[in-house]
Amino acid sequence: MESACAPPPGSPSCMCVGFLQKNNSMEERTRMVTSFKERTAKNLQLTCDDNMGGDARFKRSENDFSNLFARVNVSLFVFSRFTYEIAPVFVLMEQLTLKKMREIVGWPDGEGDGIFSPGGAISNMYSVMIARYKFFPEVKTKGMTAAPRLILFTSEHSHYSIKKASAALGLGTENLILLKTDERGRVIPADLEAKVIEAKQKGSVPLFVNATAGTTVYGAFDPINEIADICEKYNIWLHVDGAWGGGLLMSRKHRHKLSGVERANSVTWNPHKMMGVPLQCSAILVRERGLLQGCNSMCAGYLFQPDKQYDVTYDTGDKAIQCGRHVDIFKFWLMWKAKGTVGFEQHIDKCLDLSAYLYNKIKNREGYEMVFDGEPQHTNVCFWYFPPSLRSIPNGEESRERLHKVAPKIKAMMMESGTTMVGYQPQGEKVNFFRMVISNPAATMSDIDFLIEEIERLGQDL
Amino acid sequence: MESACAPPPGSPSCMCVGFLQKNNSMEERTRMVTSFKERTAKNLQLTCDDNMGGDARFKRSENDFSNLFARVNVSLFVFSRFTYEIAPVFVLMEQLTLKKMREIVGWPDGEGDGIFSPGGAISNMYSVMIARYKFFPEVKTKGMTAAPRLILFTSEHSHYSIKKASAALGLGTENLILLKTDERGRVIPADLEAKVIEAKQKGSVPLFVNATAGTTVYGAFDPINEIADICEKYNIWLHVDGAWGGGLLMSRKHRHKLSGVERANSVTWNPHKMMGVPLQCSAILVRERGLLQGCNSMCAGYLFQPDKQYDVTYDTGDKAIQCGRHVDIFKFWLMWKAKGTVGFEQHIDKCLDLSAYLYNKIKNREGYEMVFDGEPQHTNVCFWYFPPSLRSIPNGEESRERLHKVAPKIKAMMMESGTTMVGYQPQGEKVNFFRMVISNPAATMSDIDFLIEEIERLGQDL
């Protein structure tokens, strides 16, 4: 209870307001409530006026924590967010931060809608639900039998959450069509168009295309503009799964990789991935207002009373498939206040620099082979390591079989010795390879050097 | 980095293991890994051997924090839980705690399955998904058109998440049939049976019944045994939504209100409600093993490699509709270690005692009328307050209209003066009434007295 930090009455520069208490006098209460209303909007802002660079989205954020009004309210309102009255500060933080994210996506004036959800898989699930509601709202009441056969499209390299959503939402995984990718894991737009036409010829309705911005394994960015052209031509919902790659929107150097994202109908963006916010913090952003609410609202009388004393449009909870929600926004908002937009940009540029360092270190190094050519688009560096005993064996089935076992063995030894850990997986016809992903800007070039030393130390006798 | 607390080599009583470091010697590494494996299983246990009372489920839990091996590992493994290797301690904590919860539900040896989800609404959504998968597994691949028309049943007093699930999963809200309740808000079993028969006569398939253990507004417990009889007779999935009331299973005095819960096919139980765990912490428990996995698994090659060096049945993430999950289990497990089963029991009994105190205080007090007769089953105390000006007006439309505005006005004044806050809502034909819910055992009788004083102070001139 921080009433001790309540300022002297009338102090114009007071930076915190104190808890409302049973024993506050009526004057104190009035002052507190008024101050709350006046100060909240101002103090939650994520940017201030000193312009840095030409792009208004990259103004330096405030990092003066003395004005964090919210800090004295946090413990009071920490529990849930279905109604404004239960978590007023967090509702405002969420609205403001979502608007800022939409501005960065490139939607005019940050207009649109959105909500924070418990992870990218659920955000992607929202996107499918909203697309279905947009084109076939009667499914909400009548079920999937009220709609024709609906088809979803996504890259063969996309995250498995699109498939999970197709199963959960009653569309069926067989109605999710996988799109071919080029050698670097990017969707081939011509394959999308061919498959859209094929689906229509079969009497199905192409509903939804997912373009991935930053695939899980290769870190590939699908060509959003070319995909958007096809979606517009055939009137299909375009979702961009930027769970992993959305963070690059914060970097003036790298955001071109998401060129066209502003044409999407919805975007998943997980600050808990590339931006370093502790898990969970994922946003689903929607270009058209009202769909989230229309899709999910049930207007429970015990939560959403129309006769409340405040503007009930702030009761954002009915947009969610959840009821109470974890307060994911606070971590993100606080980091943004502390680091600023430019701080996130530096974080991201640093990670991409490190992955470029790793790529350049091993691309011509003896015993290594890159899984795809050229510098990775994201921080995913995918490579095979050939122990000395494998280097003289000609390419063939035996070599493939032995190589397939190398990464699991080295990873197991890494875990046993506890020095480092790096993931591996096969992909399509390709046998197990290492996938090094960097999202921690505290990593250094010497950490990268150590990783390579460890792989060679542990793998030399395999 | 707590390597400073690593014990001297060979010390049998060492209580923490220290982080594995790049510069640990091989012997140190081996000792740490071995120690980790041996100690983890033992130290995670929630009960020890001193028997207290006849019911083994109520043995006193350990609260000796010196043996919390997990504490040194937490910061290492805090991020995610889709695979064992990323969060080994939390995966084990989750498995152990879910087993303990299933034991308390009453399933033999705690057998079954389950997962922690981001809230009761998602847990209830899981229950519908699993029921559908059990009876119509082909929906996963072919979509809802592969199934006949499926019908869900739930109380007209149940939580809106069942309706949200029916919309999201493609069943349609019109295929959710609401069941009549008695005057205290409990489902009337005969109404369920009549509606099941009616649905079957129309050619639909009754799939799923939700029995609520602790409704949102009245805190009512549906008669689970009678509902289970009907579900068994007609081969329908029985889910118990104990999001709110599940905590009463921890109380030997109150758990009889969930009598029959062991006959359910699935149970939602939110420790973040009645048990005071910070939001979010919700479990979906499933009696039959394998359904969660079958329903949701997509076997993504980049996460669930079969050639890992450990038992991959610990990779529990593919059971979830999420990918990475927030570590909700740790808060709950830690509270259980600290308070013990008996501590939770005391917490719950205290809250119910306080609500009984409120009920007894106002049931015959001038100006109050209870919304339903008799002591509440849970801590929900629902009542109208009649300001003096209303007490002389005869019952009728004018009196109803004025009474409908009393609770919103008093609540608004409470919020303006910041002294306390209590919810209100209408229910069916009943005009707005107060619903006081107690889940904080730090509340006291004097807080209850204060609430009543405030209602009367603020409402006296209305």
Side-chain angles (χ1 to χ4, degrees):
Chain A
M1 302 296 262
E2 302 192 28
S3 59
C5 81
S11 162
S13 62
C14 65
M15 290 308 163
C16 62
V17 173
F19 280 120
L20 295 164
Q21 305 280 346
K22 281 183 195 175
N23 54 357
N24 288 137
S25 72
M26 201 41 114
E27 295 89 313
E28 282 176 320
R29 290 173 192 164
T30 306
R31 180 183 54 73
M32 287 178 181
V33 171
T34 308
S35 176
F36 176 90
K37 289 179 181 168
E38 287 170 359
R39 302 188 66 81
T40 303
K42 174 171 178 298
N43 286 328
L44 291 174
Q45 293 304 320
L46 288 170
T47 55
C48 62
D49 293 334
D50 56 316
N51 203 329
M52 175 169 169
D55 189 336
R57 292 175 296 202
F58 288 87
K59 287 176 183 172
R60 185 79 181 93
S61 290
E62 288 184 352
N63 62 3
D64 173 7
F65 281 88
S66 67
N67 72 355
L68 283 194
F69 168 83
R71 68 179 165 176
V72 293
N73 291 278
V74 167
S75 52
L76 193 59
F77 299 126
V78 77
F79 291 119
S80 192
R81 293 186 306 171
F82 35 84
T83 59
Y84 175 75
E85 64 201 331
I86 298 299
V89 173
F90 293 130
V91 166
L92 296 178
M93 276 183 187
E94 187 176 61
Q95 292 205 344
L96 182 141
T97 308
L98 287 167
K99 185 170 192 299
K100 187 79 189 160
M101 293 173 86
R102 290 189 301 260
E103 282 172 13
I104 289 169
V105 163
W107 293 334
D109 298 324
E111 279 300 301
D113 207 342
I115 201 162
F116 281 83
S117 94
I122 303 287
S123 291
N124 285 340
M125 181 184 281
Y126 270 117
S127 73
V128 179
M129 289 170 62
I130 299 162
R132 181 175 66 182
Y133 180 76
K134 168 73 176 172
F135 291 103
F136 300 95
E138 60 275 23
V139 169
K140 180 178 179 181
T141 50
K142 298 191 182 303
M144 281 296 291
T145 48
R149 186 169 175 174
L150 304 177
I151 309 292
L152 316 176
F153 302 86
T154 193
S155 160
E156 60 191 9
H157 277 239
S158 69
H159 189 258
Y160 71 145
S161 54
I162 304 290
K163 197 171 173 191
K164 288 213 178 200
S166 70
L169 304 179
L171 292 114
T173 54
E174 288 179 6
N175 296 311
L176 172 67
I177 307 288
L178 297 184
L179 304 173
K180 282 192 198 140
T181 56
D182 65 19
E183 72 293 347
R184 298 197 51 164
R186 297 170 298 202
V187 156
I188 299 169
D191 189 58
L192 169 62
E193 183 156 22
K195 284 172 174 163
V196 164
I197 292 168
E198 190 186 339
K200 288 168 75 80
Q201 282 170 345
K202 288 183 181 166
S204 302
V205 173
L207 175 74
F208 171 98
V209 173
N210 173 55
T212 306
T215 60
T216 311
V217 178
Y218 284 12
F221 288 77
D222 289 339
I224 301 176
N225 267 318
E226 290 163 82
I227 293 171
D229 290 341
I230 297 167
C231 288
E232 284 171 15
K233 183 172 172 186
Y234 296 96
N235 194 27
I236 304 173
W237 185 277
L238 173 58
H239 174 67
V240 170
D241 176 5
W244 173 223
L248 270 60
L249 290 168
M250 306 296 279
S251 162
R252 282 165 287 191
K253 183 174 170 192
H254 295 286
R255 61 173 282 129
H256 69 89
K257 295 170 185 173
L258 291 98
S259 180
V261 65
E262 71 282 359
R263 298 171 67 187
N265 299 96
S266 55
V267 176
T268 291
W269 175 356
N270 289 9
H272 76 220
K273 290 198 194 309
M274 196 59 198
M275 294 165 74
V277 179
L279 198 148
Q280 61 193 40
C281 186
S282 171
I284 171 72
L285 307 172
V286 187
R287 196 168 64 189
E288 181 177 333
R289 259 190 185 281
L291 290 179
L292 258 178
Q293 184 82 24
C295 180
N296 294 312
S297 71
M298 297 294 159
C299 302
Y302 52 85
L303 287 179
F304 305 107
Q305 302 87 14
D307 48 4
K308 287 178 184 170
Q309 120 242 47
Y310 59 86
D311 177 356
V312 293
T313 61
Y314 285 106
D315 285 352
T316 49
D318 214 13
K319 291 179 188 178
I321 55 171
Q322 301 179 268
C323 183
R325 288 185 292 141
H326 190 255
V327 181
D328 303 319
I329 185 59
F330 183 57
K331 301 171 289 193
F332 183 31
W333 176 89
L334 193 63
M335 279 181 78
W336 208 329
K337 276 286 223 193
K339 299 176 68 140
T341 306
V342 173
F344 278 125
E345 179 180 43
Q346 288 164 349
H347 171 145
I348 284 155
D349 289 351
K350 168 86 184 295
C351 290
L352 280 139
D353 287 349
L354 280 171
S355 66
Y357 174 79
L358 171 60
Y359 166 73
N360 287 315
K361 184 181 175 87
I362 61 176
K363 67 177 174 180
N364 296 318
R365 191 180 179 92
E366 193 187 355
Y368 292 83
E369 188 180 323
M370 305 311 295
V371 174
F372 55 85
D373 290 335
E375 190 169 312
Q377 291 186 282
H378 206 324
T379 70
N380 308 43
V381 182
C382 297
F383 61 92
W384 288 283
Y385 171 71
F386 290 76
S389 69
L390 245 76
R391 292 175 203 169
S392 53
I393 298 179
N395 279 339
E397 201 49 40
E398 188 202 340
S399 140
R400 278 173 53 82
E401 273 176 26
R402 286 183 57 183
L403 183 60
H404 189 58
K405 290 174 185 161
V406 168
K409 276 186 194 157
I410 292 179
K411 181 178 169 193
M413 286 189 285
M414 285 173 168
M415 290 173 78
E416 285 290 338
S417 50
T419 50
T420 186
M421 188 158 78
V422 58
Y424 71 85
Q425 67 283 297
Q427 173 81 36
E429 296 290 292
K430 295 184 163 76
V431 301
N432 279 323
F433 53 85
F434 285 116
R435 169 176 54 120
M436 179 62 195
V437 175
I438 297 158
S439 63
N440 177 4
T444 61
M445 287 189 280
S446 83
D447 291 319
I448 303 289
D449 293 340
F450 175 76
L451 173 73
I452 296 303
E453 282 164 27
E454 274 296 277
I455 288 174
E456 294 175 2
R457 181 178 74 83
L458 297 167
Q460 65 187 343
D461 297 327
L462 290 179
Chain B
M1 303 297 262
E2 303 191 29
S3 58
C5 80
S11 162
S13 61
C14 64
M15 288 310 164
C16 61
V17 174
F19 281 120
L20 294 165
Q21 306 278 345
K22 282 183 195 175
N23 54 357
N24 287 136
S25 72
M26 200 40 110
E27 296 89 314
E28 280 175 322
R29 290 175 190 160
T30 306
R31 181 183 55 71
M32 287 177 180
V33 170
T34 309
S35 176
F36 176 89
K37 289 179 180 166
E38 287 170 0
R39 303 187 65 82
T40 304
K42 175 172 179 297
N43 287 327
L44 291 174
Q45 293 301 322
L46 288 169
T47 54
C48 60
D49 293 333
D50 56 315
N51 204 330
M52 175 170 170
D55 191 335
R57 292 175 297 204
F58 287 88
K59 286 176 184 171
R60 186 80 181 91
S61 289
E62 288 185 350
N63 62 3
D64 173 9
F65 281 89
S66 67
N67 72 355
L68 284 194
F69 167 83
R71 70 180 165 176
V72 293
N73 290 278
V74 167
S75 52
L76 192 60
F77 299 126
V78 76
F79 291 119
S80 192
R81 293 187 306 171
F82 37 83
T83 58
Y84 175 75
E85 64 202 332
I86 298 300
V89 174
F90 294 131
V91 165
L92 296 178
M93 276 183 187
E94 186 175 64
Q95 292 206 345
L96 182 139
T97 307
L98 288 168
K99 184 172 194 295
K100 187 78 188 160
M101 293 173 86
R102 292 190 299 260
E103 282 172 12
I104 289 168
V105 162
W107 293 334
D109 298 323
E111 279 300 302
D113 208 342
I115 202 163
F116 280 85
S117 94
I122 303 288
S123 291
N124 284 341
M125 179 184 281
Y126 269 116
S127 73
V128 179
M129 290 170 63
I130 300 162
R132 181 175 66 182
Y133 180 76
K134 167 73 177 172
F135 291 104
F136 299 96
E138 61 274 24
V139 169
K140 179 178 178 181
T141 50
K142 298 189 182 304
M144 281 298 290
T145 48
R149 185 169 176 175
L150 304 178
I151 308 292
L152 317 176
F153 302 86
T154 193
S155 160
E156 61 191 8
H157 276 239
S158 70
H159 189 258
Y160 70 145
S161 54
I162 304 291
K163 198 172 172 188
K164 289 214 177 197
S166 70
L169 303 180
L171 292 114
T173 55
E174 288 179 5
N175 296 312
L176 172 67
I177 307 289
L178 297 184
L179 304 173
K180 282 193 200 139
T181 56
D182 64 19
E183 72 292 347
R184 298 197 52 166
R186 298 170 297 204
V187 155
I188 299 169
D191 188 58
L192 168 61
E193 183 156 21
K195 284 170 174 163
V196 165
I197 291 169
E198 192 186 336
K200 287 168 75 79
Q201 282 169 347
K202 288 181 180 166
S204 303
V205 173
L207 175 75
F208 171 97
V209 173
N210 172 54
T212 307
T215 60
T216 310
V217 178
Y218 285 12
F221 288 77
D222 289 340
I224 302 176
N225 267 317
E226 290 163 81
I227 293 171
D229 290 342
I230 297 166
C231 288
E232 284 172 14
K233 183 172 171 185
Y234 295 96
N235 194 26
I236 305 173
W237 184 277
L238 173 59
H239 175 66
V240 170
D241 176 6
W244 172 223
L248 270 60
L249 289 168
M250 306 295 278
S251 161
R252 282 165 285 190
K253 185 174 170 190
H254 295 287
R255 62 173 282 131
H256 68 89
K257 294 167 187 175
L258 290 100
S259 180
V261 66
E262 72 283 358
R263 298 172 67 185
N265 299 96
S266 55
V267 176
T268 291
W269 175 355
N270 288 10
H272 76 220
K273 291 200 193 307
M274 195 60 197
M275 293 165 73
V277 179
L279 200 144
Q280 62 195 35
C281 187
S282 171
I284 172 71
L285 308 172
V286 186
R287 198 169 60 188
E288 182 176 333
R289 260 190 185 281
L291 291 179
L292 258 177
Q293 184 82 24
C295 180
N296 295 311
S297 70
M298 297 295 161
C299 302
Y302 52 83
L303 285 179
F304 305 107
Q305 302 87 14
D307 48 3
K308 286 179 185 169
Q309 118 246 46
Y310 59 87
D311 177 358
V312 293
T313 60
Y314 286 107
D315 284 355
T316 49
D318 214 14
K319 291 179 187 179
I321 54 172
Q322 301 180 269
C323 183
R325 289 186 292 141
H326 190 257
V327 182
D328 304 320
I329 185 60
F330 183 57
K331 302 171 287 192
F332 183 30
W333 176 89
L334 194 62
M335 280 181 78
W336 208 328
K337 276 286 223 193
K339 299 175 68 139
T341 306
V342 172
F344 279 125
E345 179 180 44
Q346 287 164 349
H347 171 149
I348 284 155
D349 288 351
K350 169 87 183 293
C351 291
L352 281 140
D353 287 349
L354 280 171
S355 67
Y357 174 79
L358 171 59
Y359 166 74
N360 287 313
K361 184 180 176 91
I362 60 175
K363 67 177 174 180
N364 297 317
R365 190 180 178 96
E366 193 185 354
Y368 291 83
E369 189 180 323
M370 305 310 295
V371 173
F372 54 86
D373 290 334
E375 191 169 311
Q377 290 186 283
H378 207 324
T379 70
N380 308 43
V381 183
C382 297
F383 60 92
W384 289 284
Y385 171 70
F386 291 77
S389 69
L390 245 76
R391 293 177 200 168
S392 52
I393 298 178
N395 278 340
E397 201 48 42
E398 187 202 342
S399 142
R400 278 174 54 83
E401 274 175 25
R402 286 182 57 184
L403 183 60
H404 189 58
K405 292 174 184 159
V406 167
K409 276 186 194 158
I410 292 178
K411 181 178 168 190
M413 286 189 286
M414 285 172 169
M415 290 173 78
E416 286 290 338
S417 49
T419 49
T420 185
M421 187 157 78
V422 57
Y424 71 85
Q425 67 282 297
Q427 173 80 37
E429 296 289 291
K430 295 185 163 75
V431 301
N432 280 323
F433 54 85
F434 285 116
R435 170 177 52 122
M436 180 63 195
V437 174
I438 297 158
S439 63
N440 177 3
T444 61
M445 287 190 282
S446 84
D447 291 318
I448 304 289
D449 294 340
F450 175 76
L451 173 73
I452 296 303
E453 282 163 28
E454 275 297 279
I455 288 174
E456 295 175 3
R457 180 177 76 81
L458 297 167
Q460 64 187 345
D461 298 325
L462 292 180

